[in-house]
Amino acid sequence: MRHHHRRFLQASLVSGFFLIVLLFYFTGLFNQPKKIFENFWLPSVEPMTSYGKIIDFFAGVEVVGGDSININETIDVNFNDPQPEFVRVIPFSYQLGGGNFKLGIRNINAEVANSEAEVRVKRDHGNYYISVKRKDGTDFIGLNVINLSYQMTRTVNYLKDNDQLVYMVTGYQWPVEIERARAVITLPDVTSGQLSANCYIGQANQQIDNCQVSTVKSDSVGFDSLKSIKPGQGMVVSFVWPKGLISAPSVLKQWWWVLRDNPILILPFVALLLMYFNWLFLGRDKWWRANKTSNMPPTDLTPTEIGTIYDNRANVKDLLLIILDVARRGYLVIRKEEGFWIINKTKDWSNLEILEKKFLQIMFDGREWWRSDDDDCQRSLKDAIKIGTRETYIRLTDKGYFSVSPHATRMTYLFLALVFWVGGALFIPWYGGGFSALAIFLVGLIVFWFGYYMPIKSPLGMSALRDVVSYRQYFKTEYKEISKNDWLNHLIYVLLFHLDKLFVKSLKNNEIDELRWFVFNCNEKITAKVLLKNIRKFENDLAKIKHW
């Protein structure tokens, strides 16, 4: 599997993992709508005298299975003043745990006694507004009987041993007094199991008084308020029956509900696909298999520049290769002492390449030596790496190997990722907080992740990359034939291309003479494995300084 395929697969797995976690979280959270209704808050309402009052509010609820209930309401309303319409408000959208939960309401119909009715339905701010008018255009006045019927889904709580329906019979939005409220809930079949029911009157999230469970049969239960319900209050009933009478919706169906109500959860996958195609067409260096090998690196590039062209990044260890390569050429001696490393200057640097000279001048800061345990030396190394990284990108861009600096490209996508992250932080309180806002953070992570691979080389850079890959391929195909001296001459590129295993495999346990430019105490025979272990230790120790 190619490198970019692995990265895409990893991003897909991360996105998929977060989506599955969120789906399970919301499925479990929304599997019991009672919890959602209890956390729903509605503003208080002012009494409206023009309606007069509701004389009787009756709701017949039929549990039909498949998480659906059929509702038939008969509302006797006494209008004090002429009114052109009657409005029934039904909440359907709730927020809990950072996610949206929406009841399904459909098949809405209305009738007015002794007159044909016209129904208009509007959705606004999480409520259905069902407006009922007379078709002949006359106003409502005096006592009128209005019949409403509709179907509602996602109202049943699927508990461990039982199923439960919690239903707000009247709702809390009525601005008039309800003299009496009644309800009958009917099951789809007779059961011999235990049934239980409760009924109370109150405001949203606040129980004020109990109402009566009037009748309990083997397939139904009746409720009666027995008293008037004040404006802003409502009647809520609960009915529990044994499992098996209705089938619970499948997990896939519940996931579909969650995604339908929270489409933001799909956003990370959309971002993943968009960034993948963005990289595929705008940020991908066309890859190939090297069909030839070369035993020499590109002569016009330093090891640091070769490493940057190879992976589009000038990392810390690419910069540390300057020290090792210059030492190999006789300008420095690296020595391991007890608990620290010391690097001594051995000859003038005037003949070094510009970037190498600048890096060493900043690192040594006028000294003839550098020590890893010296605070000033550590600060100067950090400065050298920082400036060397920037200069490497500038030089390769100026030479034409990149059309745009890789660093600038990554910073662009980092800025875009920050926009999503900051947007996610601002989005959390507006959206109710919780896990759903993490989808935005995940989008930012995907943008940042792919931004790392977006720098693209120029035609000259691609030509150089072909030479670099051909050179690396030489080691992978000819390692058995490479002599010890040739391996040591190319040691810098063994480090650069992480060919440690081939280096050790080729030289096996053959003894290696101590290097003049890299000196370390060793009480055993110096082999390829021992040599690489100490050089890697040097690299890692200096790399840690950068992150201190």
Side-chain angles (χ1 to χ4, degrees), residues 334-348:
I334 303 168
R335 187 181 301 276
K336 183 179 182 182
E337 300 294 345
E338 189 66 33
F340 64 91
W341 294 92
I342 186 168
I343 307 174
N344 292 303
K345 179 179 178 181
T346 56
K347 62 180 180 180
D348 185 68

Side-chain angles (χ1 to χ4, degrees), residues 75-126:
I75 307 172
D76 299 351
V77 188
N78 186 32
F79 292 89
N80 288 341
D81 300 321
Q83 293 294 319
E85 63 180 359
F86 170 82
V87 180
R88 169 76 160 103
V89 182
I90 303 177
F92 74 93
S93 181
Y94 304 86
Q95 288 183 352
L96 182 67
N100 295 316
F101 173 88
K102 295 181 181 179
L103 295 172
I105 300 177
R106 59 193 178 212
N107 302 330
I108 301 174
N109 294 290
E111 293 180 355
V112 178
N114 302 320
S115 175
E116 293 185 357
E118 177 183 336
V119 180
R120 292 184 180 179
V121 180
K122 182 179 72 172
R123 300 199 326 173
D124 188 30
H125 292 88

Side-chain angles (χ1 to χ4, degrees), residues 282-285 308-309 312 392-410 412 454-463:
L282 300 177
R284 178 176 66 122
D285 290 326
T308 304
I309 288 176
N312 291 344
T392 299
Y393 288 132
I394 292 173
R395 283 170 56 80
L396 288 175
T397 304
D398 291 343
K399 288 180 178 181
Y401 292 100
F402 293 96
S403 300
V404 179
S405 169
H407 179 70
T409 301
R410 291 192 181 99
T412 300
M454 285 303 295
I456 187 171
K457 300 177 187 66
S458 66
L460 179 61
M462 289 303 299
S463 176

